[in-house]
Structures are given as structure tokens and as C-alpha cells.
């Protein structure tokens, strides 16, 4: 009976000792948990910051192959902006009765005699926009008479002429195209046919994805 009695009497002592030992541990275990939480938070912050940097890099439009997921911008929008800028400058010195011819835009090379579909499309669109603004636009490709053939009736021609009759218009709008990595830099200007003075200028960079979306052919990439 003594061993059993001794064990029963010593049991409370053991329980109290165990509790005292356990009470001394939480401070260490809690400190470990706090450190681990801080480490996890730091790791998450670093991962988020790296992800943000990657997303920002992907959104930069300065990359040559940058193409927006969805866009509704057309070549007409860029030409309209340039036409507005030209019209604002012309309104300071000219009036709406000014006769204005529009010529094809050319590549900025050593000859200034090379054009392409983009150069001709720019001229056609400028004619449309300036006519909308009320200017007296002269078409240099218009024939004196209607040319009738079996294939159709034609009023336009690109046959070589010695020179354009400057009496048909006082000013001419044209410009250059400079092919770059991001797109085509278009420089447009209105010039006096008589004095050769430049009276208005504008410039826009047209991105490649705008030209590709409209299947506009150009003579060179960049």
C-alpha cells in the first residue's frame, strides 16, 4: 500500500512541476511564430514588388513589338489631329478661300522621290480632312476631261508632267516619312508655291500596330 500511497501523494507535485515547465515555454514559441510571420510577410512583399515591376515592364509601349490587346485608333485619327494643328496655324495667316494642293508624302532619303501606299494614303486623308474644315483643296491628279475606256471612265491620272501649274493653287501640303523602330514619323507642312516659305507644320509618330491593323503597305520596316 505504501508505494501506491506515495505515488498518489507525489502526483500533484509532478503535475505542478509539468505546468511550471510548460508555462516557461510560450514566450519562446510565440517569438518564433512572430519571426516566421514577419519573414513570410517580407517574402510576400518582395514577391509582390517583383510581380509589379514585371507587369509595369510588360505595359511599357516603348517596346518595338508592343501591341495593345484592343485598340480602335486608325490612321484617320492621326491625320485628323495633324490637320487640326495645321488649320490652327493657317487660320492665323490665311483664310478659308486659300487654294491648297496636296501632294504624296515621300520617304526621307537622299532623293525625296520615293513614296508608297502610306505616302499616298496620307495625301488622300489630308485632302479629306482639310476639305471638311472648309479649305479650297485642289486635286493635282484630276484630268482636264473624262477618259473613257472599255474598262471604265477615269478622271485621275499619275502620268508624268513637267511641273504642276502653280496658278491652280497658292499653297501645297506635303511631307516626309521617317521609318523608325516604333513606327513611322510623319512630318507634314504647308508651303507657298511661289515663295517656297513654310507657313504651317505638324508632326506625329504613327505606331506600326495602327498601320498593320489597316493592312497599309509600306516600302520598308525601319
Amino acid at each position: 500500500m505504501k508505494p501506491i500511497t506515495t505515488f498518489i501523494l507525489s502526483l500533484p507535485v509532478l503535475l505542478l512541476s509539468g505546468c511550471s515547465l510548460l508555462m516557461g515555454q510560450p514566450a519562446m514559441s510565440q517569438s518564433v511564430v512572430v519571426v516566421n510571420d514577419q519573414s513570410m510577410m517580407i517574402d510576400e512583399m518582395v514577391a509582390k514588388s517583383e510581380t509589379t515591376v514585371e507587369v509595369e515592364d510588360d505595359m511599357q509601349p516603348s517596346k518595338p513589338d508592343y501591341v495593345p490587346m484592343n485598340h480602335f485608333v486608325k490612321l484617320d485619327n492621326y491625320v485628323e489631329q495633324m490637320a487640326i494643328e495645321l488649320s490652327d496655324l493657317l487660320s492665323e495667316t490665311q483664310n478659308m478661300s486659300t487654294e491648297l494642293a496636296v501632294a504624296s508624302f515621300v520617304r526621307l532619303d537622299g532623293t525625296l522621290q520615293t513614296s508608297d501606299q502610306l505616302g499616298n494614303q496620307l495625301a488622300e486623308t489630308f485632302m479629306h480632312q482639310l476639305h471638311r474644315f472648309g479649305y479650297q483643296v485642289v486635286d493635282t491628279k484630276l484630268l482636264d476631261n473624262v477618259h473613257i475606256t472599255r474598262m471604265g471612265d477615269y478622271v485621275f491620272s499619275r502620268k508624268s508632267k513637267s511641273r504642276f501649274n502653280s496658278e491652280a493653287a497658292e499653297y501645297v501640303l506635303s511631307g516626309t516619312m521617317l521609318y523608325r523602330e516604333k513606327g513611322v514619323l510623319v512630318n507634314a507642312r504647308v508651303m507657298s508655291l511661289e515663295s517656297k516659305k513654310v507657313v504651317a507644320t505638324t508632326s506625329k509618330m504613327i505606331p506600326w500596330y495602327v498601320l498593320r491593323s489597316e493592312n497599309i503597305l509600306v516600302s520598308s520596316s525601319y
Side-chain angles (χ1 to χ4, degrees), residues 83-145:
I84 291 173
E85 294 178 4
L86 291 174
S87 179
D88 291 340
L89 294 172
L90 288 172
S91 63
E92 299 176 0
T93 58
Q94 310 299 323
N95 52 49
M96 290 298 183
S97 62
T98 300
E99 294 180 341
L100 182 65
V102 181
S104 300
F105 283 64
V106 296
R107 292 188 60 185
L108 188 58
D109 55 17
T111 65
L112 296 178
Q113 295 291 313
T114 305
S115 189
D116 51 24
Q117 185 182 25
L118 175 59
N120 292 322
Q121 183 63 38
L122 286 169
E124 294 291 329
T125 310
F126 267 110
M127 289 179 63
H128 167 66
Q129 293 295 341
L130 291 173
H131 187 268
R132 284 182 55 215
F133 296 156
Y135 287 92
Q136 303 298 315
V137 181
V138 177
D139 195 337
T140 60
K141 301 179 294 299
L142 185 63
L143 295 172
D144 295 333
N145 299 290

Side-chain angles (χ1 to χ4, degrees), residues 16-26:
L16 292 174
S17 300
C19 290
S20 61
L21 290 174
L22 291 174
M23 291 177 64
Q25 297 298 323

Side-chain angles (χ1 to χ4, degrees), residues 51-61:
T51 304
T52 303
V53 171
E54 291 177 359
V55 172
E56 291 178 353
D57 290 342
D58 291 339
M59 294 176 62
Q60 292 297 325

Side-chain angles (χ1 to χ4, degrees), residues 119-183:
N120 292 322
Q121 183 63 38
L122 286 169
E124 294 291 329
T125 310
F126 267 110
M127 289 179 63
H128 167 66
Q129 293 295 341
L130 291 173
H131 187 268
R132 284 182 55 215
F133 296 156
Y135 287 92
Q136 303 298 315
V137 181
V138 177
D139 195 337
T140 60
K141 301 179 294 299
L142 185 63
L143 295 172
D144 295 333
N145 299 290
V146 178
H147 185 52
I148 302 174
T149 68
R150 292 182 178 179
M151 300 300 295
D153 307 331
Y154 305 100
V155 295
F156 300 111
S157 176
R158 287 192 179 276
K159 291 183 179 180
S160 300
K161 297 181 180 180
S162 57
R163 59 179 300 177
F164 173 69
N165 185 7
S166 59
E167 295 180 357
E170 301 175 57
Y171 297 88
V172 61
L173 183 151
S174 189
T176 60
M177 302 176 296
L178 187 60
Y179 299 94
R180 284 292 179 256
E181 192 173 350
K182 299 178 183 178

